[in-house]
Amino acid sequence: MMPGGLSETKPATPEVQHIVDEVKLQFESRENRTYDIFKAIAYRTQVVAGINYFIKVQVCDDSYAHLRVFQSLPRDNEGPSLVSFQTGKTRDDPLTYF
């Protein structure tokens, strides 16, 4: 992977699901609704002064959202924060930088 570039797309791991769980309330607040399904499907990473996670999340039976979540360096002792998101995605939409 090129420094600053995006990694290849990988299947979501329990660690990525944990990150998604931590930003769910931020997402719901910005969308002004709640979601019963909030399952990480796939992700890509970008190393910056921390890590940007680009995560495909299933939000209902046939609807997906792409989340960009920033995780600061461990020394900063901060949880993940939802930077941006895209809704209206499908399972087949590729994860790209946004």
Side-chain angles (χ1 to χ4, degrees):
M1 179 177 73
M2 182 175 63
L6 290 180
S7 71
E8 70 278 2
T9 301
K10 301 174 225 170
T13 64
E15 175 189 359
V16 171
Q17 182 63 52
H18 180 71
I19 291 167
V20 165
D21 293 341
E22 288 194 59
V23 299
K24 182 180 184 212
L25 288 176
Q26 295 173 49
F27 180 76
E28 290 177 333
S29 173
R30 288 166 70 173
E31 278 287 282
N32 199 27
R33 64 180 283 198
T34 59
Y35 293 89
D36 293 330
I37 299 173
F38 209 68
K39 181 181 177 188
I41 303 297
Y43 75 103
R44 297 176 80 178
T45 57
Q46 177 190 35
V47 177
V48 287
I51 299 175
N52 278 324
Y53 288 87
F54 294 82
I55 309 169
K56 181 181 297 200
V57 177
Q58 182 178 10
V59 294
C60 66
D61 288 342
D62 60 351
S63 186
Y64 296 79
H66 291 179
L67 311 183
R68 185 167 88 196
V69 178
F70 177 71
Q71 178 63 65
S72 62
L73 297 171
R75 70 167 189 250
D76 296 333
N77 199 28
E78 295 176 10
S81 63
L82 180 63
V83 174
S84 185
F85 61 90
Q86 298 174 329
T87 57
K89 297 294 187 175
T90 68
R91 185 173 184 90
D92 297 328
D93 286 333
L95 276 170
T96 57
Y97 185 92
F98 61 92

